[in-house]
Amino acid sequence: MSAAAPTLYEQLAEELADGIRDGVLRAGERLPSVRQTCRQRGISPSTVFQAYGQLESDGLIEARARSGFFVRADRPAARAAPRAAEPRHDATPVAVSELVFELLGSTRDADVVPLGSAFPAPHLFPFEALARSGARAMRRLKPAQITGALTVGESQLRQALRHRCTLQGVPLADDELVITNGAMEALNLCLQAVTRPGDVVVVESPTFYAALQALERLDLRAVEVQTDPRDGVDLEALEALLDRQPVAACWFMPSFQNPLGALMPVARKQALVERLARRAIPLIEDDVYGELYSGTRRPPPAKAFDRAGLVLHCASFSKSLAPGYRVGWAAAGRFAPVVQRLKTMTSLATSLPPQLAIADYLAQGGYDRHLRRLREALAVQQQRALRLIERHFPAGTRVTRPAGGYFLWLELPAGVDALQLHRQAMARSISTAPGVLFSADRRFTHHLRLNVGHPDDPRFESALRQLGELAHEAMAAAP
Amino acid sequence: MSAAAPTLYEQLAEELADGIRDGVLRAGERLPSVRQTCRQRGISPSTVFQAYGQLESDGLIEARARSGFFVRADRPAARAAPRAAEPRHDATPVAVSELVFELLGSTRDADVVPLGSAFPAPHLFPFEALARSGARAMRRLKPAQITGALTVGESQLRQALRHRCTLQGVPLADDELVITNGAMEALNLCLQAVTRPGDVVVVESPTFYAALQALERLDLRAVEVQTDPRDGVDLEALEALLDRQPVAACWFMPSFQNPLGALMPVARKQALVERLARRAIPLIEDDVYGELYSGTRRPPPAKAFDRAGLVLHCASFSKSLAPGYRVGWAAAGRFAPVVQRLKTMTSLATSLPPQLAIADYLAQGGYDRHLRRLREALAVQQQRALRLIERHFPAGTRVTRPAGGYFLWLELPAGVDALQLHRQAMARSISTAPGVLFSADRRFTHHLRLNVGHPDDPRFESALRQLGELAHEAMAAAP
């Protein structure tokens, strides 16, 4: 439905994926080499690598050392993807908090299998190296740095972030960056910077419950836009919605959306930024999962296409490097001065020791190596989960196959009450995140978000089997 | 004006202070020993020590090792205290932020003498010991702690805080405490927990500009209550004000108020809490300076008298132990669940490494030793500043003599424009905090807050002399 044409690599990947699904390319078959494909099609090696990376992360092909790319034998069976939902057209005041606190409050017990958790397993992160970095940085800390850093954040970290963003195609202005207490604070500050109570904000459908809570806290109204489980926000639906009513901002997660895992294709991201710029509508971009891609390269954030200073880019190290450190940032474009002032007024500054620890860790150069291992672990676990779901869940269950992040979104057969399923699972010490959490008007009643970011949890397989059994029972009992 | 009767120690201190000011007790004269005084008056030694401590911190007497207490020869001359101002009676929307950012933005340069700063000198704090504690705690950190801590804060630190509060006569309920990103976040969360946009909140007069900014951010209206520069909020004035209009909350700083340094006597604090409880009005208590007393014991926070769960006690380690660590807390009484939810929604959790560092430091047992040194350094510098002000400022300058904290509040002769004085001083690389920052309706035009928390700054004496000269010139030019 998007007006944005697919890129060359997307065309190639789609073509090969069709061939694999249709059986034209058979399991175990070797794909043409990168060099061959370049010659044949007159495209660059990086385009081919990108397409193969996409297919690899979709679980359709695999790379074998020094032999090339092969169609996988054990690729996930063809569970269909969930369908995009048609949201209500009118803006609704948000009151989802009570439900969120009720459902999530009970899922943090260590004895509960954390399929409903929002976090990956902490042992995936380099806490020892971070502690060494922290100790080193704190020894070197000069008292004068304390008063120097304050609101905008520690200068070495800001510089490292700007450097990294520039390498990823997102040049940031010198004074655009504010270090925050995690992405959550960044998003809240940005939201407050561009809205007044009563304003309408467009969110995805389904959307991350914390976005709904943030809207609720600031007395804003949400309007949900149709969102494809694979490709993200539907631009035509968005245009129609913006024609209907004044909108103060959009809050989207263009890369590995929570809960869908949707990744907006590059061209669609660019079109989104350009269309919003024509209407002068700010885009709050939640990019906390951007580094957790399973393909060959980091998807560019929407911020990469921001010419008008209207994209408020928010991210953090909480999902990629240092959970619990609460170090995030906002690159808020033309709203940066407002965001800085709000930061001063709400929490003055971000804690210095964790900023120094991360800055030192980044300077040591191990971040990308860590990220490669992390992505690999998450991708492997996703494949494992998809096979278990295929085996244990009722026919008609649809599931996403995201190219990054660590969530799966399940559409159970209609009639299955996912909230009841959640409660039954909790009685067996298995948490889930039922779909009603992800909508201002309690839709997605037969949907579940499952966390597949706990690769070494021995209870995982049994938990998915039990969930599947519960879903079977629910179906049998459904009207 | 307070209905609260003075305590025994306050009566004794006041009596002796009168004797010194009237010349009945002469410079160099030895005061009766503690034992004598106990016998004579039938009071306890701790009461006498408290009274002598008060007189000592007021600069009227000094302790000499093994000889007792003596009336000081060099005691600050009798600069009168500033007068309490009569605030406007109607609530005003707040718009002080622009001015605050304009004036304070320029004062953070290391080349500027920081008389306008809100922070004490960073070298007064045990950063090396904290770094060692941080390194030790981070080595011991188990990944599972990451997900365990989350919103309410790290359990070891919460336990240490509750222990300390209990020793100080403030027993906290088990689930009342939320660790925050400094006191600023705690205060903001508490304010949001007890108000709705448009509500009226009572603040002191003058009041800390960050309180005014917090009100502004949440679209609240401020009404200022008459506040005595020595004894704090006037309870009769407060009653009159509460009779006139519905009020959602009070935001006060009962110990060493910023900017006045006022300390509400114990009985007045208790009466304040009881009177507000009768009207079911929440009290947001900013207690960030409570540990910085120059007397013999920590003044109890208003929270010590809270029977109704209506006192939301906020404090931090930023002024007493670990600036830049941004570790504070709210003990929010019956509003604790709301504050916890708001914390989750605004910044999810407080950074773990600084919490662990402080918890380890507290467990090592050096905190009280550090605090004694810090208090001593601040008290000495206050005396030094008072003597310099006496020497260099125009006759008619009034100045506070707070029993804690590190601010002085100057009332310059009427007609001196303190904002202009601030700008002239900035041109000489000396910052100040002009009085207009401390009021929603820009009163206190001939007042200044001066930071005396930088004991070893060699530029201090010259800066105060220059400020005095500028004040003389301003007076000469005044209409």
Side-chain angles (χ1 to χ4, degrees), chain B residues 314-342:
Chain B
C314 301
S316 82
F317 291 104
S318 301
K319 307 294 185 355
S320 59
L321 176 64
Y325 276 54
R326 311 296 310 133
V327 175
W329 64 88
R334 64 168 78 163
F335 305 100
V338 187
V339 170
Q340 281 175 26
R341 288 180 177 207
L342 287 171

Side-chain angles (χ1 to χ4, degrees), chain B residues 30-65:
Chain B
R30 188 174 177 281
L31 293 189
S33 76
V34 173
R35 201 154 23 140
Q36 277 178 307
T37 313
C38 290
R39 257 206 317 268
Q40 258 174 22
R41 300 181 175 242
I43 56 181
S44 74
S46 75
T47 304
V48 182
F49 271 117
Q50 225 177 333
Y52 283 15
Q54 174 76 58
L55 293 169
E56 201 183 353
S57 75
D58 285 352
L60 295 175
I61 67 171
E62 61 190 342
R64 292 184 200 156

Side-chain angles (χ1 to χ4, degrees), chain A residues 183 187 208 251-255 284-289 312 314-315:
Chain A
L187 290 160
F208 180 32
W251 171 329
F252 295 155
M253 201 182 273
S255 298
I284 299 170
E285 176 179 39
D286 180 353
D287 193 35
V288 294
Y289 301 107
L312 300 94
C314 301

Side-chain angles (χ1 to χ4, degrees), chain A residues 97-98 101-102 108 119-120 122-123 127 130-131 135 138-139 141 143-144 146-147 150-151 181 184-186 188 192 196-197 210 213-214 216-219 323-327 340-342 344-354, chain B residues 97-98 101-102 108 119-120 122-123 127 130-131 135 138-139 141 143-144 146-147 150-151 181 184-186 188 192 196-197 210 213-214 216-219 323-327 340-342 344-354:
Chain A
S97 267
E98 283 303 317
F101 285 112
E102 180 208 327
R108 288 195 188 122
F119 303 94
H123 71 78
F127 283 109
L130 282 166
M138 292 303 294
R139 272 199 310 275
L141 173 68
I146 298 291
T147 36
L150 277 175
T151 294
N181 297 302
M184 186 60 66
E185 187 185 55
N188 272 288
Q192 185 162 16
R196 297 284 305 158
Q213 288 180 306
E216 183 177 342
R217 194 178 64 89
L218 295 175
D219 282 326
Y325 276 54
R326 312 297 309 136
V327 175
Q340 282 174 26
R341 289 180 175 207
L342 288 170
T344 306
M345 288 157 80
T346 49
S347 68
L348 196 59
T350 301
S351 183
L352 203 49
Chain B
S97 268
E98 283 302 320
F101 285 112
E102 180 207 328
R108 291 202 186 115
F119 303 93
H123 70 78
F127 283 110
L130 282 166
M138 291 304 294
R139 272 199 310 274
L141 172 69
I146 297 292
T147 36
L150 277 174
T151 294
N181 297 301
M184 186 60 66
E185 188 184 56
N188 271 289
Q192 184 162 16
R196 297 285 305 160
Q213 288 180 307
E216 183 177 342
R217 194 176 66 88
L218 295 175
D219 282 326
Y325 276 54
R326 311 296 310 133
V327 175
Q340 281 175 26
R341 288 180 177 207
L342 287 171
T344 306
M345 288 157 79
T346 49
S347 67
L348 195 59
T350 301
S351 183
L352 201 51

